[in-house]
Amino acid sequence: MALVGCLLLVWYLGLAVVCYWALSVLRASAPDPATAVLLIVAVGLLGGYLSYRLGTKQLLSSLEAVELPRSHAPGFYRRIDALESRMAVDSPTILIARLPMPNAFALGSKRNGVVVLDRSLLRVLSLDELEALAAHELAHLERYDAFIQTLAYGVFRTVAGLVVLVLAPFLLPLAGIARAVAWTRGDPASWSRTAFGRLLQVVEGGVVACFLLVTLAVRAHSRRREYAADDRAAAVTGKPVALARALRTIQRTAESAQGLLSTLYVHTEEDEDELTRLLSTHPSTDDRIERLLERTRTAARDSSRESIR
């Protein structure tokens, strides 16, 4: 066991040396700080753009979605055309698919956007509700919300990778010593209880905390964009109650969804703790509905005051 501990130590030290050599090469060829920052951001943005483009194509291919013919929903398409004239978007491609639960989401940009609808929405929602829901998705396309989110994650992943690379020459020896000591003692599982293991956990905890803060900030921005899309849809259609009804219908018919599309869905908030809500990309559906109804009540009060005057 002592021999295994020594081999582990050599292995981790070797990895640390390789990481240190890689950092030395980068440092020797690194430009001035301002150029380096621009280069990191550019690499992150490029990675985010490629991820978005390839991910969008892969997602649409996996859904086996088909385009909704105009002849099958002429009234709905007339509403879409009217929304296009009032919003800074080109006419989107409307696809229908069998999603794990009734929902809708938008992909692409305002010039070549795609709105995906679950087939059941055409049955359970009225024409006004479908129009309001489509306006919400077009608002996302109008502001490039999905695209910006992906670019932000691309930059975040690039920075996170560099941070891990910078810390690796320090963290790998700590991990190697902790595991070597644990194996030498005859208790490999106790490596986290050694002094080196505890120090490693403290450093890793700090790094994870920093990443979590960034994630919380990005998710908070995503929730704000959902509110903004609701407001935009209510303003364009003049039917906030229709959007509220659409959200309520989706909430009542939705089941818990996991997997590739889960971050795009309207989620119910039952049994969610505070951390789950903070990490969610969508705000509470009840909060969204209440904001839309409050918008209607405020408009009614303003209208009453104008009538009295």
Side-chain angles (χ1 to χ4, degrees):
M1 295 189 75
L3 178 60
V4 171
C6 291
L7 292 175
L8 282 172
L9 179 58
V10 171
W11 170 251
Y12 277 92
L13 290 177
L15 290 177
V17 169
V18 171
C19 290
Y20 181 78
W21 172 80
L23 284 174
S24 300
V25 173
L26 290 176
R27 190 181 302 113
S29 59
D32 60 273
T35 305
V37 171
L38 289 177
L39 182 61
I40 292 171
V41 172
V43 171
L45 292 176
L46 178 61
Y49 175 78
L50 293 176
S51 175
Y52 183 77
R53 298 293 297 180
L54 297 177
T56 298
K57 291 182 179 180
Q58 182 181 7
L59 177 57
L60 292 176
S61 175
S62 67
L63 290 176
E64 297 182 355
V66 297
E67 187 170 354
L68 176 65
R70 278 185 173 267
S71 59
H72 288 194
F76 177 57
Y77 269 106
R78 283 194 294 271
R79 301 288 183 101
I80 292 293
D81 293 339
L83 289 175
E84 178 191 351
S85 66
R86 298 194 294 269
M87 302 177 73
V89 292
D90 291 342
S91 183
T93 301
I94 307 297
L95 302 180
I96 55 174
R98 295 189 183 278
L99 303 178
M101 65 186 210
N103 227 295
F105 59 88
L107 297 170
S109 67
K110 62 183 181 181
R111 300 305 175 201
N112 58 351
V114 174
V115 175
V116 182
L117 301 172
D118 182 69
R119 291 176 179 272
S120 64
L121 293 180
L122 301 176
R123 184 180 68 255
V124 301
L125 298 183
S126 68
L127 196 55
D128 283 346
E129 292 166 354
L130 279 172
E131 177 191 14
L133 190 62
H136 173 94
E137 302 305 334
L138 292 182
H140 283 308
L141 295 177
E142 194 176 39
R143 294 294 188 91
Y144 295 94
D145 286 336
F147 184 56
I148 291 174
Q149 289 276 335
T150 306
L151 291 183
Y153 274 116
V155 175
F156 172 65
R157 286 194 299 265
T158 301
V159 173
L162 287 175
V163 170
V164 171
L165 181 61
V166 169
L167 292 178
F170 172 68
L171 297 180
L172 287 172
L174 283 180
I177 295 172
R179 294 183 183 278
V181 170
W183 273 85
T184 303
R185 289 177 177 175
D187 186 8
S190 68
W191 71 269
S192 60
R193 298 192 296 273
T194 65
F196 294 100
R198 287 193 292 270
L199 179 58
L200 178 64
Q201 289 178 325
V202 170
V203 176
E204 289 179 343
V207 174
V208 170
C210 292
F211 290 165
L212 179 60
L213 289 176
V214 174
T215 301
L216 290 175
V218 173
R219 296 299 172 87
H221 176 266
S222 176
R223 292 192 296 273
R224 287 195 297 270
R225 296 311 309 155
E226 288 299 320
Y227 285 134
D230 286 345
D231 293 339
R232 177 65 170 151
V236 170
T237 63
K239 303 169 185 175
V241 174
L243 180 56
R245 287 199 304 264
L247 292 175
R248 182 65 74 193
T249 300
I250 291 174
Q251 183 189 44
R252 287 173 176 171
T253 56
E255 297 177 354
S256 178
Q258 303 293 333
L260 185 61
L261 303 179
S262 62
T263 58
L264 300 172
Y265 290 157
V266 175
H267 290 284
T268 59
E269 47 277 351
E270 296 179 0
D271 302 325
E272 287 188 352
D273 56 26
E274 189 61 29
L275 180 59
T276 301
R277 294 186 181 186
L278 288 174
L279 291 173
S280 175
T281 57
H282 284 60
S284 162
T285 304
D286 286 337
D287 288 345
R288 293 173 63 187
I289 292 173
E290 180 58 32
R291 288 180 77 257
L292 291 166
L293 296 179
E294 180 59 30
R295 184 188 183 99
T296 302
R297 289 191 288 265
T298 300
R301 287 195 297 267
D302 292 343
S303 177
S304 298
R305 290 170 185 166
E306 290 294 330
S307 298
I308 293 174
R309 291 176 184 174

